[in-house]
Amino acid sequence: MKNKLNAISTFLRVAEAGSFSEAARQTGMKQSAVSQQIAALEEELGVVLLHRTTRAMALTEQGERYRRQIQPLLDAMQEMESQLRPTQQQWQGRVHIQLPSGLGQIFLPHLLALQKDNAGLHMTLSLDDRVSDLVSEGIDVALRLSGEPPDLLAARMLARIKTPLFAAPGFAPVNSPEDLAVLPYIRFSGIAHAAPLRLISENETVELTANTVFRANSSEGLLQAIQAGIGIGGMQLPLVIQALHTGTLVQVLPAWRLPDRFLYAVFPDARFIPLRVRRIVEMIESLLKTLPGMS
């Protein structure tokens, strides 16, 4: 088939856009031309890639498998071509980044500045604390906080982050870790209800049952709950610097903290990481070195 590469690119655009009409709008093609290219590609491959109805379009099982396998190959070719261009032209193409909701707010101004300076870059940013499926959601890199490297995925450790305990000014005195079994405690909702609270010091580890009264699924929710005086909670140190400076938070039990977390850059496939993705990770890693509570 002639222009097979164009047909593959059109198929990927349709799969990403979710409809023939939207893909046609994005490419400036007629919708009939988009349909013809997909039909020709399906005939060449001998499989149906897309289910079509008058109202919806969906990838078939073979179409989803083909999309997953062909996208990295097309990306690799485009990446090779981009490396032949002058340096200022290498910030080209799409990149989908997922960041933790809290730390992501710190990186956001720098990513926006990068986008502003590079019109050829098409960035999609997700501020989300959930563990996503990088492949099915088309995410090029996700930054994840974890106690250990993610399973089954390529990962690079960027930083180690301390998580001390904090409370609002005037909150009840906290003299020992055992007080947390009585005083109200705030916890991330992704942690199992029955999981013990683990605290570490320089030479000791304790586990106890905390009096959890409030749970939230984001760092911002946890921070506001602690500032509101609802209870004591652990927060990653870079996220509370401003609150400590303004006096809306105070550290409690300074000799103790939650177990340190590690920030990983996680990639869907280690065999091919586009240059623009690697550079964004390098930029974030440089920013991390300037933040307190990092090592």
Side-chain angles (χ1 to χ4, degrees), residues 2-66:
K2 294 182 179 180
N3 298 320
K4 185 174 181 179
L5 189 58
N6 289 339
I8 292 172
S9 298
T10 300
F11 163 70
L12 294 173
R13 182 62 65 98
V14 170
E16 182 178 2
S19 73
F20 285 82
S21 59
E22 178 59 22
R25 187 192 67 80
Q26 293 178 7
T27 59
M29 299 169 59
K30 291 183 178 180
Q31 186 171 336
S32 59
V34 172
S35 297
Q36 288 170 4
Q37 285 197 9
I38 300 300
L41 181 61
E42 289 177 324
E43 183 177 357
E44 170 78 9
L45 297 174
V47 298
V48 177
L49 299 173
L50 298 167
H51 288 305
R52 307 162 177 82
T53 69
T54 55
R55 295 187 176 181
M57 180 281 296
L59 291 169
T60 64
E61 181 180 349
Q62 295 94 333
E64 176 59 28
R65 187 183 308 123
Y66 186 66

Side-chain angles (χ1 to χ4, degrees), residues 155-177:
R156 173 184 171 189
M157 191 181 77
L158 303 181
R160 180 173 182 164
I161 305 177
K162 293 182 179 180
T163 309
L165 297 168
F166 300 95
F171 194 79
V174 188
N175 300 310
S176 70

Side-chain angles (χ1 to χ4, degrees), residues 199-219:
L199 298 177
I200 63 173
S201 66
E202 292 304 318
N203 50 23
E204 189 178 359
T205 299
V206 299
E207 290 188 353
L208 51 90
T209 300
N211 177 30
T212 303
V213 299
F214 183 85
R215 294 160 64 88
N217 68 346
S218 70
S219 298

Side-chain angles (χ1 to χ4, degrees), residues 6-260:
N6 289 339
I8 292 172
S9 298
T10 300
F11 163 70
L12 294 173
R13 182 62 65 98
V14 170
E16 182 178 2
S19 73
F20 285 82
S21 59
E22 178 59 22
R25 187 192 67 80
Q26 293 178 7
T27 59
M29 299 169 59
K30 291 183 178 180
Q31 186 171 336
S32 59
V34 172
S35 297
Q36 288 170 4
Q37 285 197 9
I38 300 300
L41 181 61
E42 289 177 324
E43 183 177 357
E44 170 78 9
L45 297 174
V47 298
V48 177
L49 299 173
L50 298 167
H51 288 305
R52 307 162 177 82
T53 69
T54 55
R55 295 187 176 181
M57 180 281 296
L59 291 169
T60 64
E61 181 180 349
Q62 295 94 333
E64 176 59 28
R65 187 183 308 123
Y66 186 66
R67 182 194 68 80
R68 291 187 182 186
Q69 292 175 345
I70 204 68
Q71 182 72 69
L73 298 178
L74 198 62
D75 288 343
M77 186 181 70
Q78 293 171 346
E79 178 69 14
M80 179 186 66
E81 292 175 350
S82 73
Q83 293 182 18
L84 301 176
R85 302 171 187 147
T87 302
Q88 67 271 20
Q89 295 183 16
Q90 292 182 9
W91 287 106
Q92 303 283 331
R94 63 177 183 84
V95 56
H96 188 171
I97 313 165
Q98 183 186 29
L99 301 175
S101 61
L103 288 173
Q105 297 292 339
I106 297 175
F107 306 139
L108 183 57
H110 303 274
L111 292 171
L112 294 178
L114 180 65
Q115 177 66 75
K116 185 177 180 180
D117 292 339
N118 297 276
L121 187 65
H122 300 277
M123 191 182 304
T124 299
L125 183 63
S126 301
L127 296 176
D128 197 341
D129 291 313
R130 68 186 176 88
V131 177
S132 58
D133 185 327
L134 303 190
V135 176
S136 66
E137 297 182 38
I139 297 173
D140 297 295
V141 60
L143 267 60
R144 291 181 180 171
L145 285 162
S146 177
E148 55 188 23
D151 293 333
L152 307 177
L153 291 170
R156 173 184 171 189
M157 191 181 77
L158 303 181
R160 180 173 182 164
I161 305 177
K162 293 182 179 180
T163 309
L165 297 168
F166 300 95
F171 194 79
V174 188
N175 300 310
S176 70
E178 288 71 23
D179 290 343
L180 300 180
V182 179
L183 295 173
Y185 189 78
I186 293 168
R187 207 168 193 188
F188 180 59
S189 59
I191 300 173
H193 284 272
L197 175 64
R198 188 180 181 202
L199 298 177
I200 63 173
S201 66
E202 292 304 318
N203 50 23
E204 189 178 359
T205 299
V206 299
E207 290 188 353
L208 51 90
T209 300
N211 177 30
T212 303
V213 299
F214 183 85
R215 294 160 64 88
N217 68 346
S218 70
S219 298
E220 182 61 28
L222 296 173
L223 177 60
Q224 291 197 31
I226 298 171
Q227 290 176 308
I230 292 174
I232 301 160
M235 290 292 301
Q236 299 148 31
L237 189 54
L239 305 183
V240 299
I241 296 303
Q242 183 177 359
L244 291 173
H245 286 167
T246 59
T248 59
L249 276 189
V250 294
Q251 187 175 352
V252 300
L253 293 178
W256 296 88
R257 65 182 188 272
L258 300 183
D260 295 343

